[in-house]
Amino acid sequence: MTSSSGPVSPVWAVPRGTEGIRIMVDGGVDHGMTTRECLAGTGLDPRDLDDETAQIWAHQEFVVIRNILGRLGDRPGLGAGIGAHSTIGRTGIFGFMMLAGPTIRTALDRAIPYLALSPTHLRFSLEEEEEAEDDTADAEAHSAAPVLADPVIAASVIAADDEIPADVRTFVVERDLAGFAVAFRGAQIDVGVTSLETTLGPESAVILGRTWGLAPEEVRPHAERNRLIITRGRLDERLPQGDENTAKLFERQCRELLDSRLARVGVAGQVRSRLQHERESWPSMAEVAGELHVDVRTLRRRLAEEGASFRRVLDEVRHHRALELLAQDVSVTAIAGELGYSETATFTRSFTRWEGVPPSRRRGRSQ
């Protein structure tokens, strides 16, 4: 088995354009929401969506998703329907690099290191296996679970969803995989998907499969991972707009854009984004270093070079989140728990250090 996956930047580590949010706002508006309702709590103004240079973080997109789910309900197919607003053009340079291919294989290989420049939050990789027709028959004979028929195993496009917060994961998987199906179809690219395995439940899985032109029996729900299965020969077919020189040009532009975005926010900005990525999740410095593919000593040194430290960034993020929760009238005890404090008194002392008054007075009433 071969795989094109590698140590790429996590989805939370790179500031991104507003493409993903614009797709969701379009979908939300189609369902009767206003743009301001979609953006509530993100810190974004509707005018930011018209600014082609505006950049946001992944956690801001998750706020938009929570707003949509809260208003429309977390129902199967909602994410897939909103993903239908996707186009290759909305992915910018990243999408044009894929269009230039010149084959599906080279397009995927080029795209994977630059996923943070696209609207997706999934982590894609390409796996290829040797043909094993007899293995499929053996699996069907020895397993009570349904096994998808793969007469000629070719390749699997894996879409890992483990970096996505659990409360928005189903929506994101639906939106991103359906979005790619719609975008590819609009660009006249036939990826040749023959079957789908997904972590989604049965109803969502069938709806998602339909966007790829798959029948219900060609879709397996509740799988360990999201996996689009295609025939090997399809990987090396030329794309309609394929051109190697053009693809190289767009690839260089993607590298320059990724480097400039990372340089602008620095390591402290990436750490700050990670600490805001999930609710009630406060990873250790060692965990963040591992996700950034560096050791703790290197992470500490790079933060120090920017005049920052992990503890200081964590303190800043907790302070900001505490003020947000107080404004939402959340109890001090609940805030302490969400911010990762083992005791309410410890949180109260931290808040008094930040604001000069205890949280009960900052909100204007006692608990």
Side-chain angles (χ1 to χ4, degrees), residues 7-303:
V8 299
S9 298
V11 296
W12 47 261
V14 185
R16 52 184 57 214
T18 60
E19 298 86 9
I21 285 184
R22 286 189 280 115
I23 288 169
M24 291 188 293
V25 168
D26 286 350
V29 169
D30 272 2
H31 285 81
M33 297 180 68
T34 67
T35 298
R36 289 195 178 277
E37 285 177 325
C38 293
L39 297 180
T42 63
L44 297 172
D45 185 272
R47 290 171 295 184
D48 293 325
L49 304 186
D50 296 324
D51 180 359
E52 72 279 6
T53 65
Q55 294 179 10
I56 53 94
W57 291 101
H59 66 266
Q60 291 174 290
E61 286 196 41
F62 298 151
V63 172
V64 176
I65 294 173
R66 292 180 182 116
N67 291 340
I68 291 174
L69 295 177
R71 170 70 183 276
L72 304 179
D74 191 359
R75 60 178 187 267
L78 180 60
I82 290 178
H85 291 268
S86 302
T87 66
I88 286 287
R90 281 186 135 162
T91 62
I93 295 173
F94 175 88
F96 293 122
M97 177 180 68
M98 291 197 70
L99 278 178
T103 66
I104 292 176
R105 183 194 302 276
T106 53
L108 289 171
D109 283 343
R110 281 196 167 101
I112 286 169
Y114 303 106
L115 287 170
L117 300 179
S118 76
T120 187
H121 293 282
L122 300 174
R123 191 175 66 255
F124 285 86
S125 60
L126 175 64
E127 294 183 356
E128 297 184 63
E129 302 177 17
E130 297 298 327
E131 296 181 8
E133 299 178 34
D134 292 337
D135 289 348
T136 301
D138 290 342
E140 291 176 334
H142 292 89
S143 175
V147 177
L148 296 174
D150 297 327
V152 181
I153 286 286
S156 300
V157 178
I158 308 301
D161 58 22
D162 54 296
E163 291 183 3
I164 304 168
D167 64 322
V168 298
R169 188 173 299 149
T170 293
F171 181 98
V172 171
V173 171
E174 282 191 16
R175 185 200 69 171
D176 290 5
L177 287 182
F180 274 116
V182 171
F184 287 151
R185 188 160 55 249
Q188 299 182 329
I189 297 175
D190 179 11
V191 182
V193 174
T194 60
S195 56
L196 165 69
E197 298 174 0
T198 177
T199 58
L200 301 175
E203 191 172 352
S204 290
V206 169
I207 293 171
L208 178 58
R210 196 178 301 142
T211 67
W212 288 94
L214 300 175
E217 62 270 17
E218 295 171 317
V219 178
R220 182 193 298 171
H222 294 312
E224 292 185 2
R225 57 184 182 171
N226 302 293
R227 179 174 177 243
L228 294 164
I229 300 164
I230 61 181
T231 56
R232 175 173 297 171
R234 190 74 191 90
L235 286 175
D236 295 314
E237 291 186 18
R238 289 189 63 83
L239 296 175
Q241 292 85 26
D243 182 79
E244 178 67 16
N245 287 349
T246 303
K248 288 179 179 178
L249 174 63
F250 283 131
E251 183 177 15
R252 184 167 69 249
Q253 292 176 349
C254 282
R255 165 50 58 189
E256 292 170 352
L257 179 59
L258 182 62
D259 288 346
S260 68
R261 287 185 178 181
L262 289 172
R264 185 179 67 82
V265 300
V267 177
Q270 295 175 58
V271 171
R272 186 178 298 107
S273 175
R274 176 62 182 91
L275 294 173
Q276 294 176 300
H277 191 65
E278 294 180 84
R279 291 179 171 180
E280 302 180 27
S281 173
W282 301 96
S284 67
M285 186 175 183
E287 289 172 323
V288 174
E291 292 172 5
L292 287 172
H293 313 296
V294 298
D295 56 37
V296 172
R297 181 178 298 179
T298 299
L299 178 58
R300 183 180 293 113
R301 175 176 55 79
R302 290 180 179 175
L303 285 169

Side-chain angles (χ1 to χ4, degrees), residues 268 271-272 275 303 308-317:
V271 171
R272 186 178 298 107
L275 294 173
L303 285 169
S309 70
F310 186 83
R311 182 181 296 276
R312 200 177 310 158
V313 175
L314 175 60
D315 211 41
E316 173 192 320
V317 171

